[in-house]
Amino acid sequence: MAESVELPSKLAILPFRNKVLLPGAIIFIRCTSSSSVKLVEQELWQKEEKGLIGILPVRDSSENVMVGSAMAQGGGTEPTERSPIILYASSDSHKLDEKNQEEFIHWHARGVAARALHMSRGVEKPSGRVTYMVFLEGLCRFSVQELNTRGTYYTAKIIPLQTTKAEIKLVEQDADFRALSLHFKSIAMELISVIEQKQKTFGRTKVLETVPLHKLADIFVASLEISFDEQLPMIDSVDLKVRLSKATELVERHLQSIRIAEKITQRVDGQLSKSQKEFLLQQQMKAINEELGDNDNDDEDDLATLENKMQNAGLPSNISKHAHRELRRLKKMQPQQPGYNSSRVYLELIADLPWKKASQELELDLKATKEMLDKDHYGLVMVKQRIIEYLAVRKLKPDARGPVLCFVGPPGVGKTSLASSIAAALGKKFLRISLGGVNDETDIRGHRRTYIGSMPGRLIDGLKRVAVSNPVVLLDEIDKTGSDVRGDPASALLEVLDPEQNKTFHDHYLNVPFDLSNVVFLAAANKAQPIPSPLLDRMEVIELPGYTAGEKLRIAIRHLIPRVLSQHGLSPDFLQIPEAVVKLVIERYTREAGVRNLERKLATLARAAAVKVAEQEQVVTLNHDIQQLPSPLIENTFSGGAEVGMEVLPMGIGNHGISSTFNMSSPLVADEEMLEKVLGPPIYVEEEASERVATPGVSVGLVWTPLGGEVQFVEAAAMVGKGELRLTGQLGDIIKESAQIALSWVRARAADLKLASTKEINLLHGRDIHIHFPRGATPKDGPSAGITLVTALVSLFSQRRVRADTAMTGEMTLRGLVLPVGGIKDKVWVCLTSLVFSHLP
Ligand code: ADP
């Protein structure tokens, strides 16, 4: 910033329309009019740094302003302070801008000399007009003595209005001035800090110490966004004290207006109550949703439907209160708010649960029920009898608290279908809840709603699905529940099954009691033994031990084949499966105690037959229909249009023709060849036991598996070694121990068994024993292989073959005691298979 400048007595004048340039201020201008371009070119561009011009404010002639007393017309007396010069432009009109012609220009009598800090010259295309961009810095005030024109622009004779250093020193000693300057500095400081806070930029207060006060006043006023009329008097304030007080007044006023604006904002903010803010936010959210294409109305409709549903759900009064409180909360929420969805899902559940809704119970007709059970299930005489007793007691005393029936047996023996028959007999809906793999109490009781992704337990969820409060519920695989750190599902089940407690069953998710006392509970398990004893106490176990091959054959012929055929849209007219073939399926393609796999295999045969039938249908249509038509007609038909296509069939043999052709074809009869084609090569081809035991060291055992009984061969071999025992075939610890016991027992009895001549002879001397259980991929365990192991070892050491027609099972103690065995019926079903088949007609 220039300290003091030597001003010439004459300056080219650039008029500033309604704008003021103050000393110390920097302004950017773009000159496009011919007069200003000429001025800049001649006075600044060509003179470079030495160039100075005068900036003189002019007021728009259209504005209605007071014209001062003194008028300078082309020269004359010096205008007094604040008085504009009015130039009657017509005097030199031929050279001036057209715009100024015939207009009075209200020149201000004082202006500010300026120099160019930076300039650039441009040429507009395609007109070729020259323009200038100039950064001007205001230097010092001057007053106009005489205004003239030079070519197309004005010039003026001027008197600089600079304050000398002496004058500055003098005024600085003035007490008033000092007080004024202190005041100015403080408000200037305040203004700076307000601006800095707004703009979050700091470090501008330095300017207050580095720039002299008289210049600061101009700079501050120049930086304020104030009107032309407010800034104009600053040019006229030549006296330092006047200038400072003027600047103080302007800065203070500006600061005041900033403070008022802030106060208003704060007051408005404060006046917006919480709900108003919420409203505003909701409106914004709505607008955003609309922009995104989400439709809020859907949610409103949904909530109305939900409320309606809740009202019709027959909620008990305390639960209704609870639910409506939750609904009120939900209505206040925005769909995007966390918790909205979970709250809604919760209320949906409450509205869907069958609080009062129940299916009407049928008057129990025991005779009809018995007939139905017989019709649906082959055999199971004792089981059916027990079911009838159970139902009879219910008929006489509907609220009888008898034990829960628990069907125990291998898969596919009809546990589920018996339970569903009971439901049908009672005229109730049937619900099966699988408890397999349930380790966690929350599976039964649900998760508390505080957890993310929480949901109700299986019972409440199931009841929601059946939508009645009195269904028959089968707790399937109740023996497969475990317990771990997450709680014991069995204790939750106890509450479910206890008539005293289940009136107010508490699900953590639902969090209000639900009455389960109208539900008829049944249970099913593969084994009774893993069921926790408190649970078992509440139940009456009904065993379904598995079917013999003969039973399976009867079940297949009477129940499974008719059902499978109808499920596939077939009848015996299309597919026939002779008994002998069913036998083959049972023997070669299934190995199970129940009939589930058998049903599946029969279904596979039915599917294959269905495909054949469908293919036959197509062949009929094409062969007879189209090919018999005379060829020109075909051409006409296909070129003719849409409805012609429909004519193709009737013109041939028609629908009647198809069905009769179809009926005429003989039914498909399943045979061994078809079995191999459809079901693949036989899965279970048992070598004859006699072949397997042809070498010494092999014995035949019977084992129980969850799928029923199986024949298990045990193979033993001896080889040169150090007397070690090796065991293979995926054996568990118990079976390994049985092998050790068996070997020890045989060694101890070596002489008695005539395996060695004297007691002193070590049977294992110089040899190792290897025992293998074939089907090495299936894990095996349990103590009942004991006797089979002993037999295999004795056979090995004595080199005598075992009988092929005898299988054995039983745990043996070290002293040679064979303990009682269980699951005999399951275990022997394999043997029965061959037996029964050999006696079947
Ligand atoms: P589980 O529940 O014991 O595993 P399911 O009840 O599901 O077995 O029975 C499997 C299939 O076998 C069902 O289609 C069922 O109707 C049929 N089934 C089982 N036992 C018999 C039976 N004694 N008579 C007729 N069909 C039976």
Side-chain angles (χ1 to χ4, degrees), residues 376-378 380 410-417 547 555 559-560 563 595-596 599:
D376 290 349
H377 298 92
Y378 172 85
L380 305 173
V413 289
K415 301 181 295 291
T416 313
S417 67
Y547 302 113
I555 293 173
H559 301 275
L560 304 183
R563 196 183 312 154
V595 289
R596 187 168 295 146
E599 191 172 2

Side-chain angles (χ1 to χ4, degrees), residues 373-380 384 407-420 432 474 476 524-526 544 547 551 554-556 558-560 563 567 594-597 599:
L373 282 175
D374 282 338
K375 193 175 125 268
D376 290 349
H377 298 92
Y378 172 85
L380 305 173
K384 287 179 196 163
F407 301 113
V408 175
V413 289
K415 301 181 295 291
T416 313
S417 67
L418 279 174
S420 93
R432 175 180 166 271
L474 174 70
D476 204 2
N526 289 145
L544 287 91
Y547 302 113
E551 284 171 331
R554 296 281 150 246
I555 293 173
R558 287 191 204 163
H559 301 275
L560 304 183
R563 196 183 312 154
Q567 277 169 1
V595 289
R596 187 168 295 146
N597 271 333
E599 191 172 2

Side-chain angles (χ1 to χ4, degrees), residues 459-498:
L459 261 152
I460 292 294
D461 184 55
L463 286 171
K464 179 188 139 189
R465 275 185 282 128
V466 284
V468 285
S469 60
N470 62 344
V472 170
V473 172
L474 174 70
L475 302 172
D476 204 2
E477 306 195 77
I478 200 162
D479 56 333
K480 306 255 171 37
T481 58
S483 63
D484 60 15
V485 278
R486 289 168 293 179
D488 184 4
S491 59
L493 282 176
L494 266 183
E495 188 187 325
V496 170
L497 297 181
D498 187 349

Side-chain angles (χ1 to χ4, degrees), residues 35 39 69 81 93 108 126 137 139 192 215 235 283 328 394 409 421 445 477 489 514 634 696 761 801 826:
S35 62
L39 181 146
S69 56
E81 287 212 344
S93 61
H108 196 70
E137 183 194 10
L139 295 175
I192 290 176
K215 286 188 179 168
I235 289 198
Q283 291 304 309
R328 279 197 296 280
R394 271 195 70 89
S421 291
R445 274 192 201 283
E477 306 195 77
F514 190 87
I634 293 182
I761 290 180
R801 284 183 287 151
D826 287 339

